Amino acid sequence: MRRKLAAGNWKMNGLPSDLSEVSELQTAAQGDAEVLICPPATLLTSASAQAGKIALGGQDCHGESSGAHTGDISADMLKSAGATYVILGHSERRADHGETDARIADKTRAAWTAGLTAIVCVGETLDDRESGATLDIVGTQLAGSLPDGASAQNTVLAYEPVWAIGTGKVPTTAQIGEVHDFIRQSLITRFGNDTGSMIRILYGGSVKASNAKEIFAVKDVDGALVGGASLKAADFAPIVAALNAA
Ligand code: PEP
């Protein structure tokens, strides 16, 4: 049985005054689904003081454990600040920082070494989808970004169509189902049935309270990676509730 996961990605948003949103999520976090908030790294330590049942994560880490990498953060640093997860290979990092699949694989290994669970993101652009290349692109990203050694404990996959992130556009449930099924079969083929069938697969891209129920009803959707609608507890709590009810 895979434990459902509602993960919030605050991106480059959040000041200490916003940590009240974490406290306000406590009631929502009492259900069976795991609730995770990935705030900016500057807030991790103070967030951990009030996280309660809510897990915390980083939004990126370097592939090395320390060294001359100005502005970067290591997986150990995230761990020491209270993180148990880290988002890796988000499409905004792939686009803004030129992150390749190989670099994301390095980061994933670094996260595992530090004892973090990596949330590895994959997803096609609109051009990819319109040219019929979605499964090819997702398959290539999956193969290249996910190192050998993935397990249900150290890895979560997030399918995030780039064209659905922050746009209000959401794939049909059939489109989501097709990609999640493809990812599930790819994981089983590569890691075997025991592991491949237990790694959680999240959907991400304009998830809101109004569409969460139908998305969570799709086979092999084990939860969501949520951006904009995770910033306020009032928006995120109903998504968590829909996941608990799914
Ligand atoms: C994201 O950033 O991972 C995301 C899915 O954003 P949004 O929910 O705002 O589309």
Side-chain angles (χ1 to χ4, degrees):
M1 184 77 175
R2 299 184 298 266
R3 188 175 178 203
K4 311 244 182 221
L5 173 61
N9 173 13
W10 281 14
K11 312 192 188 195
M12 198 172 71
N13 299 291
L15 293 171
S17 56
D18 296 304
L19 288 176
S20 56
E21 302 297 333
V22 176
S23 309
E24 285 173 33
L25 268 180
Q26 289 301 340
T27 309
Q30 302 307 311
D32 290 339
E34 191 174 5
V35 178
L36 165 68
I37 293 291
C38 299
T42 49
L43 294 182
L44 276 172
T45 303
S46 32
S48 66
Q50 53 197 278
K53 289 189 80 175
I54 298 169
L56 296 172
Q59 299 175 13
D60 177 50
C61 71
H62 198 276
E64 291 177 24
S65 57
S66 63
H69 304 290
T70 303
D72 276 311
I73 192 159
S74 75
D76 278 328
M77 291 170 185
L78 293 175
K79 178 94 193 248
S80 72
T84 52
Y85 284 85
V86 59
I87 298 168
L88 295 174
H90 190 283
S91 60
E92 288 155 11
R93 300 238 19 124
R94 290 179 186 260
D96 295 353
H97 301 273
E99 290 193 4
T100 61
D101 291 334
R103 180 167 294 187
I104 294 158
D106 287 342
K107 291 172 181 236
T108 303
R109 276 185 283 265
W112 293 348
T113 301
L116 297 178
T117 298
I119 301 179
V120 177
C121 303
V122 297
E124 82 285 3
T125 64
L126 192 55
D127 277 355
D128 297 331
R129 178 155 286 278
E130 287 177 349
S131 65
T134 296
L135 298 185
D136 279 351
I137 294 293
V138 168
T140 300
Q141 291 178 343
L142 195 57
S145 307
L146 201 51
D148 290 340
S151 72
Q153 287 71 42
N154 67 19
T155 301
V156 173
L157 256 294
Y159 167 54
E160 298 209 305
V162 179
W163 53 274
I165 295 178
T167 60
K169 293 181 192 154
V170 181
T172 64
T173 52
Q175 288 171 324
I176 295 173
E178 180 190 31
V179 179
H180 278 242
D181 180 57
F182 171 77
I183 293 173
R184 176 68 63 217
Q185 294 316 317
S186 303
L187 292 172
I188 289 172
T189 300
R190 180 161 170 204
F191 298 108
N193 191 57
D194 286 355
T195 296
S197 62
M198 289 307 289
I199 293 176
R200 292 174 289 179
I201 309 172
L202 309 182
Y203 167 77
S206 295
V207 175
K208 306 210 173 339
S210 56
N211 59 22
K213 184 178 176 193
E214 64 170 344
I215 292 171
F216 294 150
V218 176
K219 185 171 171 288
D220 279 308
V221 171
D222 299 311
L225 180 53
V226 182
S230 72
L231 294 173
K232 296 285 174 206
D235 295 328
F236 198 40
I239 295 173
V240 176
L243 189 57
N244 274 315

